[in-house]
Amino acid sequence: MKKRTEEILKRLDGVYGRDIPCYLHYETPWQLLFSTIMSAQCTDRKVNEVAERLYKKYPTVKAFADAQIEELEQDIRATGFYHTKARNLKACARRLLEDYDGQVPRTIEELTSLPGVGRKTANVIRGNIYHDPSIVVDTHVGRISRRLGLTEEKDPARVERDLMREIPKDHWIAINIQFIALGRSICTARSPKCNECFLSDICGGI
């Protein structure tokens, strides 16, 4: 591992630690899966607000599978793109019941075969539920990875590939939440607070 990357990880661990909770609230694996599907183009805060009511109204995977699509659309309307998300939630619930006895599968291949689930969502599940080393590339992770010079790619799958090469596997899960925390508080998209950043002296800049 490059000494610069090692220093980046050391500082991130020092500021944020590695035991950082997931920003999405959930009690069961399927709740995290469904919340992550709803989180596309939506803030975690808004998803958590919607999910608190949603999982009381639909307390099981079967309840989602049996939901009236028009009603479900209105229940999740606040998350945006609610037509597509509602269809994906209902279809995903059916697939979980039909193919996995209502349980959330583990492998990247199984997860990405589910409606509404791409690599990002699959890796959220793999890391948070099964603790399998995985890198979740959202907008924060992608932006900060480029600014730190860890990748030049913009495509999430290629960013993920570069980070998997650069970051040791024992940091893969932690780096997701650390970069998100940094991206929300300091290394923001429009007005990064470089003068407050603990990585500014080794950053590639914006």
Side-chain angles (χ1 to χ4, degrees):
M1 179 174 55
K2 298 177 182 178
K3 288 186 177 180
R4 181 173 172 276
T5 301
E6 185 176 21
E7 181 62 24
I8 289 172
L9 298 179
K10 179 181 177 182
R11 295 187 191 184
L12 287 167
D13 286 351
V15 172
Y16 299 116
R18 293 203 201 181
D19 189 21
I20 310 172
C22 178
Y23 288 110
L24 291 172
H25 301 162
Y26 65 96
E27 294 181 357
T28 65
W30 68 264
Q31 287 181 356
L32 179 59
L33 176 62
F34 288 6
S35 286
T36 308
I37 291 173
M38 289 190 291
S39 72
Q41 304 297 313
C42 184
T43 65
D44 291 345
R45 177 180 296 179
K46 178 56 67 176
V47 171
N48 287 335
E49 290 176 1
V50 171
E52 184 175 2
R53 300 187 299 271
L54 193 68
Y55 298 145
K56 290 179 181 177
K57 181 173 183 178
Y58 306 99
T60 64
V61 174
K62 189 176 187 304
F64 274 90
D66 294 340
Q68 295 295 318
I69 191 67
E70 295 83 3
E71 187 173 355
L72 182 56
E73 286 176 348
Q74 295 309 309
D75 290 332
I76 67 169
R77 188 185 183 99
T79 68
F81 302 99
Y82 58 93
H83 294 300
T84 299
K85 290 179 181 180
R87 288 197 302 270
N88 284 336
L89 289 174
K90 185 176 175 68
C92 186
R94 286 179 172 174
R95 278 288 308 282
L96 291 179
L97 291 171
E98 292 169 359
D99 297 345
Y100 301 103
D101 196 29
Q103 303 302 306
V104 176
R106 181 168 189 163
T107 70
I108 191 78
E109 294 79 13
E110 290 173 319
L111 286 163
T112 54
S113 75
L114 297 172
V117 178
R119 288 191 66 89
K120 173 189 167 184
T121 298
N123 282 328
V124 168
I125 297 300
R126 293 176 66 235
N128 288 279
I129 300 301
Y130 295 112
H131 308 293
D132 292 336
S134 53
I135 291 179
V136 179
V137 180
D138 70 351
T139 55
H140 295 296
V141 173
R143 178 178 72 252
I144 293 171
S145 296
R146 287 187 290 274
R147 287 178 176 174
L148 287 173
L150 299 174
T151 184
E152 295 181 353
E153 302 289 351
K154 292 186 177 181
D155 177 74
R158 294 182 177 181
V159 174
E160 180 186 347
R161 178 199 62 198
D162 286 350
L163 291 180
M164 288 171 70
R165 281 201 299 252
E166 185 70 20
I167 306 296
K169 188 173 286 190
D170 65 351
H171 266 81
W172 285 5
I173 296 176
I175 200 75
N176 302 321
I177 308 299
Q178 290 173 340
F179 274 3
I180 292 172
L182 178 64
R184 289 179 172 178
S185 61
I186 297 175
C187 195
T188 57
R190 295 187 178 181
S191 302
K193 304 171 186 176
C194 299
N195 60 324
E196 299 178 18
C197 185
F198 54 90
L199 296 172
S200 59
D201 60 313
I202 55 174
C203 180
I206 63 173

